[in-house]
Amino acid sequence: MTTFADIADALAGQAIELPSWAFGNSGTRFKVFATPGTPRTVQEKIADAAKVHELTGLAPTVALHIPWDTVDDYGALRAHAEDHGVRLGTINSNTFQDDAYKFGSLTHVDETIRRKAVEHHFACIDVMDATGSRDLKIWLADGTNYAGQGDLRGRQDRLAESLARIYDRLSGDQRMVLEYKFFEPAFYHTDVPDWGTSYAQVSALGERAMVCLDTGHHAPGTNIEFIVMQLLRLGKLGSFDFNSRYYADDDLIVGSADPFQLFRILYEVIRGGGFGPGSDVAFMLDQCHNVEDKVPGQIRSVLNVQEMTARALLVDRDALSKAQADGDVLGANGILMDAFYTDVRPDLAAWRESRGLPADPMHAYATSGYQRRIETDRVGGQQAGWGA
Amino acid sequence: MTTFADIADALAGQAIELPSWAFGNSGTRFKVFATPGTPRTVQEKIADAAKVHELTGLAPTVALHIPWDTVDDYGALRAHAEDHGVRLGTINSNTFQDDAYKFGSLTHVDETIRRKAVEHHFACIDVMDATGSRDLKIWLADGTNYAGQGDLRGRQDRLAESLARIYDRLSGDQRMVLEYKFFEPAFYHTDVPDWGTSYAQVSALGERAMVCLDTGHHAPGTNIEFIVMQLLRLGKLGSFDFNSRYYADDDLIVGSADPFQLFRILYEVIRGGGFGPGSDVAFMLDQCHNVEDKVPGQIRSVLNVQEMTARALLVDRDALSKAQADGDVLGANGILMDAFYTDVRPDLAAWRESRGLPADPMHAYATSGYQRRIETDRVGGQQAGWGA
Amino acid sequence: MTTFADIADALAGQAIELPSWAFGNSGTRFKVFATPGTPRTVQEKIADAAKVHELTGLAPTVALHIPWDTVDDYGALRAHAEDHGVRLGTINSNTFQDDAYKFGSLTHVDETIRRKAVEHHFACIDVMDATGSRDLKIWLADGTNYAGQGDLRGRQDRLAESLARIYDRLSGDQRMVLEYKFFEPAFYHTDVPDWGTSYAQVSALGERAMVCLDTGHHAPGTNIEFIVMQLLRLGKLGSFDFNSRYYADDDLIVGSADPFQLFRILYEVIRGGGFGPGSDVAFMLDQCHNVEDKVPGQIRSVLNVQEMTARALLVDRDALSKAQADGDVLGANGILMDAFYTDVRPDLAAWRESRGLPADPMHAYATSGYQRRIETDRVGGQQAGWGA
Amino acid sequence: MTTFADIADALAGQAIELPSWAFGNSGTRFKVFATPGTPRTVQEKIADAAKVHELTGLAPTVALHIPWDTVDDYGALRAHAEDHGVRLGTINSNTFQDDAYKFGSLTHVDETIRRKAVEHHFACIDVMDATGSRDLKIWLADGTNYAGQGDLRGRQDRLAESLARIYDRLSGDQRMVLEYKFFEPAFYHTDVPDWGTSYAQVSALGERAMVCLDTGHHAPGTNIEFIVMQLLRLGKLGSFDFNSRYYADDDLIVGSADPFQLFRILYEVIRGGGFGPGSDVAFMLDQCHNVEDKVPGQIRSVLNVQEMTARALLVDRDALSKAQADGDVLGANGILMDAFYTDVRPDLAAWRESRGLPADPMHAYATSGYQRRIETDRVGGQQAGWGA
C-alpha cells in the first residue's frame, strides 16, 4: 500500500501555471458581472497570481495573453513578476477578436489575413524571446456557422501552411502547443475540433509542436483520460488547460463538476509519465470566475489539482496490475476507488505547514486582508476583461 | 395524395414574429462583430423587420425586448410600426443584465431583489397595455454555476411565488409564456431547465400561462417534436422560439442545422392542431446573425419555416394513418419522406407572385438597394446589440 | 458541524431493494457472457439477494420481474424469501418481449394488443396481492425507430387510457410507479422519454401513481438532482432505480461512473424529505453485472449508496444555507465538498460491527465460501438471464 | 449550374456493399424479433442481397462476417454469389462473442488470448484469399466497464502489436480497415474509440492499413463530414459503414435520422476525391432492421445513398467557391441547400429505366412476389442472427 509519506516528494515538484485572464472579469454573451478589486493592468493580474503562489506554493508561473497583456517593456514585466516571486510562462495568441478575423485567421481564404495572423504569432514569439517563455499556445477560434460557408479541406490545408510558418520561427527550446476545441465560437464546424486534428497537424510540423488538451473542450461523454493516455503514448501531450464543465466549455473550477474524472485524468498522467521531473507536460488552468471571487477561485483550483494528484499518486499500482491481470474487475476498480476516497486533506495540510505554507490556503487568503486591500486600492481605471 | 393547391389556403394564414434583437449585433463571449447598416434604435429595427414582412408577407409582428427597446412613448412606437406595415408583438423581459441579478432574479434568496424582478415584469405588462401585445415572454436566466451555490428547492418555490405575482397582474387576454432552457448562462443548474419544469410552473398559475418552446434549448438527442406533441396534448404550448443548433444554444437560422427535424416539428404542430385559425400558438424567431447579414438572415429564416410548413402540410395523413395501423414501418416512413423531399420552392414562388409578393424574396432583397441604403444612412450613433 | 455520530441513526433506517435480475446473466446485443454460480431459478436469485442483505443489512427486499420470475405459488415464494431473511418487493411488468409487442404494448394501435398488455399488468397485480408487494413498476419499452412509424399523439392518448385501466385495478395502498427512459430499445421516439411525460401521465391518474427515476435514463448532461428536487416538490417521486452510466443506459454499478453526482442526488433526496421514516420513496438498484461478479457487484452497489448517503447526511445544512444567503459561492460549494471528501468508510466499518455486521462486507463475502459453493452447486439447468 | 445530365455518368459508377448480417434477425439486448422469410444460411443471405442489386444496380458486393458466415468451401460460396450476379466483398472479423474475449481480444493482457484473436484474423485472411476479397475489416469491441478494470496504455500497446502481426499477414493488394466506435459493448472505455486512435494505429502499420468510418459511431454533436475531410486529406479513409442514429449506435437506415448530415458527408466525400474511379474508398451499409422488413430496408438504404449522392453531385462548386471567397455566408449556404432541396427522384427514376432497372425499386420489390416466396420457402431451420 502506498502512503502519503511515499508521495510527499513527488508532490513537491508540482507546478500549475495560472492564466492572467482568470483574474479579470469574464462572463457569457449575456452579461459580464464586474467585481470589486479586479485588476486593471497585467501588473495587477501578476500580483494576484503571485498571491496564489505565495499561499499554495503551487503556481510559480503566469501565462500571458496577447494582446490583452501587451506592454511596452516585457523585460520590465518579467522583472515585475520575479519581484513578486513568480515567472512569466506560456504566451497565448489571439486571432479571434480583430474584425479582420470574422471568417478565419490562420485558415482564412485571403492570404493577406492569414499573413496578419501569422505575423501576430511572430510578435508573440518576440514576446517569448523577451519573457523567456517556452511555450506558444495557439487556441484557434476559426470555424464556420453554416454548412457551405467555408471549404473545410481548403481551410485545413491553409492551416497546415500557416502553422508551418509559425513553427519555423521558433528557436531554441521554444515549443508550439496547439489546442483543440469541440465548438464555440463557431457553431457548425471548428478547424481544430478534436485531438486527432491537432495531432495530425503538429505531427506534420516536428518535435517541438505538441497538443494542448483543455479538459472542457470535448463532446459529451468523451473519455478524456483515454486521450491523455494516447497523447502521452504518442509523445505529443504538450500541455493541459484545466477547468471543468457540465455542458459546454463552461470554464468552471477544475474538479468542481466531476472530481472523479479529474482523478482518472491525473492517474493516467502519472501512469504515462506525464508527471514529475522527467516530463515536459505543462499544467495550466484556463477558467472563468464568472460568479465567484477570482483570487480564491484560483487558490481553490490549484488545491483541487494538488489534492487529486495526491489521490492519484496513492493508487497501489502493483496491486492494480495484479487485479487487472487476474480479470478481477471489482478488485481493480476497488483499488482505484480506495485512493480516490482517501481524504488526503489532513496530510496535505501538515505537509504544507512543514514547508512553510499555510495549512489551509483558502482560510489564509480569507484572513489575509488582501481582498479588502485590492477592493480599496483598485478604484478607477478599466477593469481587465477579455476585451481589454 | 395532397397537392400544393390543397395547402395554399392554409399557408396564407402563416405568421412568424420577428425578434427586434435579431437586427442588432450579436456574437459570443469572445467577440461581437459589428456590421454596417446595423440599427441604432428600435425604430430602425422595426423598419428592418417591416422590410422582411414586405418581401415575404410572413412577418406581420415584431417582438420587443425590455429594456433593450425601451422608449418613452410606446403609443408612438406602435404607430411607427403600423406606419411600416407591421405590429408590435410579444414583450420579452430581461432579468439577467442588471448587477443585482448576479445570483438570481425571480428566484433570488433576497426578497428585495425578487421584488425588483417582479416589478420589472409589471413594467413589461404596462408596455403590453400600451402596445396591445398579448404575450409576456419570460426567459429566466437564473441558475448557479457550482453545486451548493444555491438551494434548488428554495429557488423553485420562490420562482412559483414570483410568477404568481406577475401572472396576477395580467389582464384581459394577456398571457404569460415561460421559456425553458437546458443551460447557459448558468452552468451547473438552471431554474427552468426543461419542459417539465415550465409545465409544472405554468400549470400552477392558470389557463393563460403557457410554455414557450425554444428549439435550441434542449439536451443533445432530445426528440423535440415529441415535446411539441405533449404540450399540445396538455393544452400548454404557448409559443415557439425558432432557431437551430448543432451543439448548444447556437441560435443559428431555423432549419439550417437539421431541416428534417424542423419538418418533423412542423408536422407535429399541424397534427396536434397548433397551426391555423383555431390555434393560439405563437411562432417566433429567436436567432443571432453573428456572421451573416441580418435582414436577409431573417428573410431566409421565415422562408425556411414557410417551405417546411408547406412540406409538412403535404403529408398524406390518411395514407400515413393506414400504414401506421398496418405496422408498415417503411411505408409509413416513406410517406413522411415523400413530403419532405418534395421541392416546394417552385410552387411557393408562383404562389407568392399570385399574392403580389416577389417570387424570390432573397433575390428581391439583394436587388432592392435597401442594404446599401441602410449602410449609407446608419452612420454614427451606437449600433444596437444585446447590451443597448 | 455534523459528525458521524449525528447521522448514525438516520443510516440505520436505510433500505435498498435488489432486483432479482441482477443475479442473472446480462450483456449487450453483442454477447451475454455466462458466469459460474449464476442462479437457475428465482429461488436461487432470492438466496443470493439474501446473502447481500445478510452481509450489509441494507437490502431487506427483492424486486421480482414478471414473467422472468413467474412461479406457480407466490405464497411459497414469499415464505422462501422470509426463510432467507428478506421480503418480496416491487413487481416489475414486462411488455417488451412478447412478439405481439413489436410495435407497442400499452400504446399499440390495436386494442387487442393493448388489452393483452393491460391484462399482463392485472396479472402482476394478482402477484402483488399474493406477495404483499406495494409497488407495481412499469417501464414501458414502447416507441418507434423511424419518423412516421407511429402517431406520437395517438400513442400518448392510448397510453393514458391503458394506464387508467391498470391504475383502477390497484387496491389498498398499492401504488403504480411509471418509469421514464430517454431511449432504447426504440431509437426514434420513446413513449415515456422524460420525467415530464411520466409526471403528466401519473398526475392524471391519482395519488397512488408516481414517477420512477432511473438514474441512467437521461440525456447527456441532464442535471438529475434537479429532477429529484422537482419531483419531491411536486409530491410525485415514487422510487429510484439506481445505476450509473457514462454513455447510454449502461446499467453499471451505482456510483461507479460519477460518485459526485450520486452524492448530489442523495443530498437532494435528503433535502427534499425523500429519505427517512416520513418518506415513501423506494430505493432500488437496477443494474447489469455484465463482466463483474454478481453477488459482490450488488454488495458493492448497496455500500456505495450507503457511503454516499452518509456523506450527504454530513453536509452542514445550516452553514450551507448561510453561505447561500450570503452569495458566498466558494464557501457554499466548499461546505458541500467537505462532506463529499470526508472518508466515511472507517466510521461506517465501526458502525457495522456495532450492529453485528461485518466491518467490510466485500471482504466478508470473499472469505465466506459462498461464491465457491454456488459455483459448485449450481451445475446443470438453465442459467437465469433476461429471457428466462 | 449543374444539372442531372452532368452527373449521370458519375452516378453510374456507384457501388454500395451490403452486409450479409443485415438480412438476418437483429434487435437489442431486450428482444430480437423474428420475421418470416429470414435467411437460414449465408447462401440465402446472398440471394437476398442479390435481389437488392438486381432491382437497384447499386449493390454488386456482399460483405461476410466470420464466423457468422463460415462455410466449408468459400470457392463454392463465391460461385454461388456470382451465379446470383454479385461478388463477395469485405471480410469482417469477430472477436467479441467467444467466451475467451470477455476481457479483451487483441488487447488482452494474456498472450494466449491475443494469439487466439490474431489467429482468427489469419483465418479471415485465408477466407479473403479464397473469396478474392480486398478488405479485412476489424471492428474491435475491446474495452472495459469500470475505471481501473484495465490498463489503458498497456492495452493500446498490445493492440499495436497484435495489429502489426495481422497486417504482416496481408498480401497483394489486401487491406486492413480499422473501425472506431465511441462506445458499446464496453461502457467505460473502448480501445479504439475515435478516428484519432484508429488513424494513429493504422499510420504505424503502413500504406494498406486504413480507417473505417461508421457514421453511427461518434459522440453526440460530432461533425462527421469534418472527419471525412480530414481522413481523405491524410490519405487514410478506407471505407464507410453507413447507417444512422438519433442517440447511440442505433444502426438505423442510412439517411433516415438526419438526411442533411448524409448530404454533407457525401458532399465532402466528393469534394475530397473519395468518390469515383480514382478512389479506393469502399462504401458499405452496416445496419439493423429490427422492426422493418429487411430486403426492402436494404433497398431503401442504397436508394437513400444514391439520391443523396446525386444531390451532393449537383452542388455548384464554382459558385460555392466564389461565395466562400467573398465571405457571402448566406449565399454559400444557399448554394448547398439548393442542391439538397432539389428533388432528384424523378430524374433518377428515368435514369434507372434508361439502364434497364425499375424506375421505383421499392415498388418493384413489393410487386415482385419475392417476399411472399421467401416467407413460404424458408420454413424450418434456424433463422440467421448475430449469434448464428
Side-chain angles (χ1 to χ4, degrees), chain A residues 262-268 270 307-317 339-340:
Chain A
L262 178 60
F263 171 78
R264 300 192 311 262
I265 288 171
L266 287 168
Y267 174 73
E268 212 56 52
I270 294 163
E307 291 176 16
M308 213 54 92
T309 303
R311 291 186 184 92
L313 286 166
L314 284 177
V315 172
D316 185 338
R317 290 175 56 187
F340 176 67

Side-chain angles (χ1 to χ4, degrees), chain A residues 151 157 188 195 225 271, chain D residues 151 188 194-195 225 233 271:
Chain A
D151 178 40
D157 292 339
Y188 161 61
W195 78 264
E225 60 269 27
R271 161 66 182 92
Chain D
D151 178 40
Y188 161 62
D194 53 24
W195 78 264
E225 59 269 28
R233 177 179 174 269
R271 160 67 181 91

Side-chain angles (χ1 to χ4, degrees), chain D residues 224-264:
Chain D
I224 299 174
E225 59 269 28
F226 182 91
I227 300 175
V228 170
M229 174 281 291
Q230 189 68 281
L231 286 172
L232 283 168
R233 177 179 174 269
L234 297 168
K236 281 295 183 191
L237 182 60
S239 61
F240 276 100
D241 269 11
F242 280 119
N243 51 55
S244 60
R245 68 184 283 279
Y246 286 96
Y247 301 98
D249 183 35
D250 306 340
D251 281 330
L252 302 175
I253 288 177
V254 56
S256 69
D258 187 349
F260 183 47
Q261 182 187 61
L262 178 59
F263 171 79
R264 299 191 312 261

Side-chain angles (χ1 to χ4, degrees), chain A residues 29 105 182 184 206 217 226 232 237 250 290 299 344 368 370 387:
Chain A
R29 57 179 173 149
S105 61
F182 189 47
E184 195 213 20
H217 288 188
F226 182 91
L232 283 168
L237 181 60
D250 306 339
N290 295 355
I299 294 173
V344 296
S368 70
Y370 187 85

Side-chain angles (χ1 to χ4, degrees), chain D residues 343-382:
Chain D
D343 192 346
V344 296
R345 294 172 306 168
D347 280 331
L348 274 170
W351 178 87
R352 280 186 204 107
E353 287 197 309
S354 77
R355 305 172 58 85
L357 292 163
D360 180 347
M362 289 294 282
H363 180 76
Y365 181 75
T367 57
S368 70
Y370 187 84
Q371 184 71 31
R372 202 176 336 110
R373 193 157 63 250
I374 60 178
E375 294 184 10
T376 309
D377 291 355
R378 295 177 182 171
V379 174
Q382 171 78 35

Side-chain angles (χ1 to χ4, degrees), chain B residues 170-344:
Chain B
L170 296 173
S171 62
D173 64 352
Q174 289 175 343
R175 310 189 310 173
M176 172 196 288
V177 287
L178 179 63
E179 193 167 337
Y180 60 90
K181 184 174 181 179
F182 188 46
F183 78 96
E184 194 211 25
F187 297 125
Y188 161 61
H189 109 277
T190 294
D191 289 296
V192 188
D194 51 24
W195 79 263
T197 295
S198 181
Y199 169 68
Q201 287 282 358
V202 301
S203 295
L205 294 174
E207 284 201 353
R208 284 171 299 116
M210 311 286 281
V211 176
C212 173
L213 187 161
D214 182 307
T215 52
H217 288 189
H218 301 86
T222 301
N223 184 322
I224 297 173
E225 59 269 27
F226 182 91
I227 299 175
V228 170
M229 174 281 291
Q230 189 68 280
L231 286 172
L232 283 168
R233 177 179 174 271
L234 297 167
K236 281 295 183 191
L237 182 60
S239 61
F240 275 102
D241 270 11
F242 279 119
N243 52 55
S244 62
R245 66 184 285 279
Y246 286 97
Y247 302 96
D249 183 34
D250 306 341
D251 280 329
L252 301 176
I253 288 176
V254 55
S256 68
D258 187 347
F260 183 48
Q261 182 187 59
L262 178 59
F263 170 79
R264 300 191 312 262
I265 288 171
L266 287 168
Y267 174 73
E268 211 56 50
V269 168
I270 294 162
R271 161 67 181 91
F275 180 77
S279 165
D280 280 337
V281 178
F283 294 79
M284 293 179 274
L285 302 183
D286 182 13
Q287 300 178 169
C288 297
H289 302 298
N290 294 355
V291 296
E292 68 275 20
D293 289 339
K294 294 158 184 35
V295 180
Q298 291 283 292
I299 295 174
R300 178 73 276 156
S301 302
V302 294
L303 295 178
N304 281 358
V305 175
Q306 182 184 44
E307 292 176 15
M308 212 54 92
T309 302
R311 291 185 184 94
L313 286 165
L314 284 176
V315 171
D316 186 337
R317 288 174 56 186
D318 291 338
L320 183 59
S321 293
K322 188 178 177 322
Q324 289 169 343
D326 292 348
D328 180 3
V329 177
L330 292 168
N333 177 249
I335 288 163
L336 216 65
M337 301 314 290
D338 272 349
F340 175 69
Y341 283 131
T342 300
D343 192 346
V344 296

